[in-house]
Amino acid sequence: MAKHLIFDFETLDNRSYNRPVVPSVAFLVFDPEVLMSFDQLVDNSLRIKFDISEQLQHGRKYNQETVDWWRKPDNSEAYKKVIEVDGSEVGLGQLDSLLKEYLIEMEYDPGKGKVWTRGNSFDVPILDNIYEDFGWDPAFSWWNVRDIRTEIDAITPHFDSTHAGYGYIKDFPYPKGFIKHQETHDVSRDVLMMQQAHIQLMTKMGII
């Protein structure tokens, strides 16, 4: 089976069509049939932190409500990791080359491997508009794009009749050290959650 790819942008505007400022993004290549720990998945991911001021100068947008949301106490840990300048930032124009290098290193086939995001109407259009702005060829095949929420909501009711249908497994054991809205943590959690949904379904069916 081909390896899969999952990615997640953090933004300063929750409207993808607005070409929002993107403080960071995480990409993670994974084998859906290989179980790895949360820490291993985080370590295997590509995290890119971008220069926010450069993006503002080039017309990308921010929304004050989103900025204020990032500044809430509940988001303080993620804010420090994602928003605060730490010297690791690169220009948005380096995205394509860094991603290509990572995909080659991780032996991901852009023509065959599935591509996962939590809802295909946000992260995918953001990646598309960045690639359009720079005139780059697409990073992967559009027909391989899949939605994490749909995957979980389609599988989970078969082993949990109380599933509420919000794209999460009820009582999912969040890994130690998990920081919500830190992109590498979010993609790693979603890999674990999708794998757990499949395992619980196969257990229910007596396959394992």
Side-chain angles (χ1 to χ4, degrees):
M1 176 181 288
K3 292 182 179 180
H4 291 197
L5 173 68
I6 182 172
F7 70 94
D8 177 43
F9 279 101
E10 301 301 339
T11 73
L12 295 186
D13 191 333
N14 59 8
R15 297 165 295 188
S16 62
Y17 56 81
N18 232 13
R19 281 179 155 71
V21 170
V22 289
S24 65
V25 64
F27 296 92
L28 173 58
V29 172
F30 67 99
D31 186 332
E33 296 185 343
V34 176
L35 299 180
M36 302 179 73
S37 71
F38 173 73
D39 289 339
Q40 288 173 320
L41 291 168
V42 171
D43 288 344
N44 278 353
S45 64
L46 168 67
R47 180 175 193 248
I48 311 174
K49 193 168 181 181
F50 297 110
D51 186 328
I52 292 174
S53 60
E54 177 202 59
Q55 295 179 58
L56 291 171
Q57 292 171 9
H58 287 85
R60 298 194 74 85
K61 308 296 184 183
Y62 75 93
N63 174 272
Q64 191 59 47
E65 288 184 6
T66 305
V67 174
D68 292 341
W69 175 87
W70 273 108
R71 290 174 173 162
K72 289 182 177 180
D74 288 350
N75 298 326
S76 60
E77 286 188 274
Y79 182 90
K80 291 177 183 177
K81 297 284 187 180
V82 174
I83 307 298
E84 289 187 355
V85 176
D86 63 13
S88 67
E89 294 79 10
V90 300
L92 200 59
Q94 294 191 44
L95 170 58
D96 183 55
S97 60
L98 291 172
L99 177 56
K100 283 179 178 176
E101 181 181 341
Y102 172 71
L103 297 183
I104 292 171
E105 176 188 351
M106 299 298 288
E107 300 179 343
Y108 173 79
D109 184 342
K112 296 180 180 179
K114 298 292 187 293
V115 180
W116 297 92
T117 62
R118 182 164 279 278
N120 298 146
S121 61
F122 190 71
D123 296 276
V124 173
I126 290 173
L127 187 67
D128 286 345
N129 69 51
I130 293 172
Y131 269 65
E132 289 168 4
D133 287 348
F134 284 95
W136 297 329
D137 291 332
F140 48 75
S141 303
W142 60 265
W143 57 82
N144 281 329
V145 175
R146 301 291 187 273
D147 176 22
I148 295 162
R149 292 191 183 99
T150 302
E151 176 83 349
I152 291 172
D153 286 344
I155 294 172
T156 306
H158 293 288
F159 60 81
D160 179 7
S161 61
T162 67
H163 179 66
Y166 299 120
Y168 294 91
I169 297 176
K170 185 178 65 178
D171 300 325
F172 177 78
Y174 279 75
K176 182 180 180 181
F178 174 79
I179 300 174
K180 191 175 184 180
H181 307 305
Q182 183 178 337
E183 64 302 293
T184 55
H185 287 203
D186 284 347
V187 294
S188 298
R189 172 211 56 199
D190 278 339
V191 169
L192 293 174
M193 195 175 293
M194 287 192 292
Q195 288 179 325
Q196 181 174 314
H198 282 269
I199 289 169
Q200 291 190 230
L201 175 60
M202 289 188 289
T203 301
K204 178 76 172 182
M205 296 174 65
I207 298 174
I208 59 174

